[in-house]
Amino acid sequence: MDRPITRRIAAMAAALAALLAVGAAPTATATEPDQSPAAFSAVDIPPGQVDAAVGRLDDLANGLMARTGIPGLAIAVVHEDRVVYAKGFGVRRLGDPTPIDPDTVFQLASVSKSVGATVVAGAVGRRAVGWDDPVVRHLPGFRLASRTTTRQVTIADLYSHRSGLPDHAGDDLEPLGWSRAQILRRLRHQPLAPFRASYAYTNYGLTAAALAVARAARTPWAELSARTLYQPLGMRSTTSRFAEYLRASNRAIPHVLRDGTWTAVEPFDPDRESPAGGVASSVNDLAQWMRMVLGDGIYEGRRIVDPAALAAMRTPHAVSAPAATPASRPGFYGLGVMTGTDAGGRVFLSHSGAFEDGAATQFSMVPSAKLGIVVLSNGEPMGVPESLAATFLDLALVGRPTIDWFGLYGPAFEAAKQSPSPLAGRPRPAHPRPARPARAYLGRYASAYLGRAAVVHRAGGLALVAGPARKTYRLEHWSGDTFTTGTGRLFGAVTFAGRAAGGRAAAVTVESLDSSGLGTYRRARGGL
């Protein structure tokens, strides 16, 4: 075979591979079905099946509320560019009979990432910024541990969690009271995995990318979000500012389970990571957002977001969940959104959101069916939004529930709430080794990443006080130089080590702050 023919076959193979991978027929539009091979599903949706699934939503919601006792939730469904269902269930706050309705405002937690990614897509479409722009081009003070990675890491890298930063890097600085600027500055101390070779979910990495976009657009992030999305889509109840959520007259109050009883709590302030978790919205508003995304950037006949920028957002950029078995489908992450194919071969977009302090949210969209569902709740994460959305999609796409989804999600969420400490669940030693005298532990400590801390006498025992917020870890002796602190997922060891002058401990490691090996404070001078 001569070279010209070889090149021709290679070009044909490349074109076919691109067609199968992208699945975009040249003539397909947002209002026409995609007839390309990659969009084909062998599972038909019979006429009326989606409507029948919508008719089951009341029972699904009431059933999950009865099963869990969750105070309230709201649901909206979009189909064929229409809001076909929007309803609230339960109450905004236990003890107050005021019901949740479709306009009740909830904290979205990490669903904010997907909403924010469409804000970035809007800026990309206006050429204010590019997905592949290096972050330091617009945020020159941004630094990571590697100079090479710092120069090369792009907005897309951080929006797809493939920068090399460790999982949830920077989140451990929040309870210590550090500002957003300080948290972003301290990311340079985090050890890096190989660049673009792995996936690790990072709220503050994504936040840095969003701030770079806002800087390029010369507009604060919350205002950029409002101008790009909330105002053009008529999302009047939506905000990226915590203070505005608090001022909303119709807002859901977060609740957590304490000793089996649902209790209202103060909401978490996510302003420091607003692009990653700071949006508050209603299902009525999010239904309009889903219409725009499912319409490939068009809403009510107007172009809101550039389709090429949205296509980049939808495209898998990182393997978020490698296939566990040869028969398993892997999970993928696009830019601020999870993406992949379902059991019927249809492309889906989705994201969950969760605050331990009483917020759990989820949306799922199936573009080929022009179908989307969003579920918001005011109870701690336990799998309710995910189970409801998955069951609805089973009914809509398959015609029946394929499995007890809450039976899968519930235990998975419960396991995630357990402390990862090796000491968790173990009985305290019956004959512990004695601790050193208290004076060996007292004093000041410091860490380049965590800042300053002090071990002090507190309420008849010892406590470690850390950060600008003076976060207090009460210490209970375990054995030798090891103490424990916290309960539930926050339970962990606090271990002293080494000997400084006068037999004092030279360092202390807080296990709950040590996920990436940066949880050690060393003996220091000066104040907290």
Side-chain angles (χ1 to χ4, degrees), residues 455-466:
V455 176
V456 299
H457 284 295
R458 183 68 55 87
L462 295 177
L464 186 143
V465 182

Side-chain angles (χ1 to χ4, degrees), residues 57-58 61 72-79 82-90 92 99-108 111 115 233-239 245 250-252 279-292 294 299 360-365 372-378 385 388-389:
L57 278 170
D58 282 20
L73 55 84
I75 309 165
V77 174
V78 168
H79 186 224
R82 294 185 303 112
V83 181
V84 296
Y85 184 95
K87 192 169 183 178
F89 297 82
R92 299 189 312 208
I100 287 173
D101 62 44
D103 290 314
T104 299
V105 178
F106 295 75
Q107 290 184 290
L108 300 191
V111 166
V115 174
L233 299 181
M235 299 170 69
R236 295 181 180 85
S237 299
T238 304
T239 179
Y245 159 73
N250 182 5
R251 68 180 175 96
V279 179
S281 187
S282 67
V283 295
N284 265 344
D285 277 8
L286 290 171
Q288 309 314 312
W289 172 73
M290 290 195 297
R291 288 177 62 199
M292 184 275 292
L294 289 168
Y299 176 80
T361 60
Q362 208 265 356
F363 78 85
S364 290
M365 288 187 269
I373 180 171
V374 59
V375 185
L376 310 180
S377 73
N378 62 345
L388 199 156

Side-chain angles (χ1 to χ4, degrees), residues 138-183:
H138 308 293
L139 205 66
F142 184 70
R143 295 287 183 276
L144 296 176
S146 161
R147 291 183 180 179
T148 301
T149 302
T150 298
R151 288 195 302 268
Q152 296 181 352
V153 69
T154 66
I155 292 164
D157 291 325
L158 291 173
Y159 258 88
S160 57
H161 308 295
R162 63 181 188 183
S163 67
L165 282 167
D167 186 67
H168 284 82
D171 286 9
D172 46 7
L173 297 177
E174 282 187 344
L176 303 183
W178 292 110
S179 67
R180 178 170 65 190
Q182 279 287 355
I183 293 174

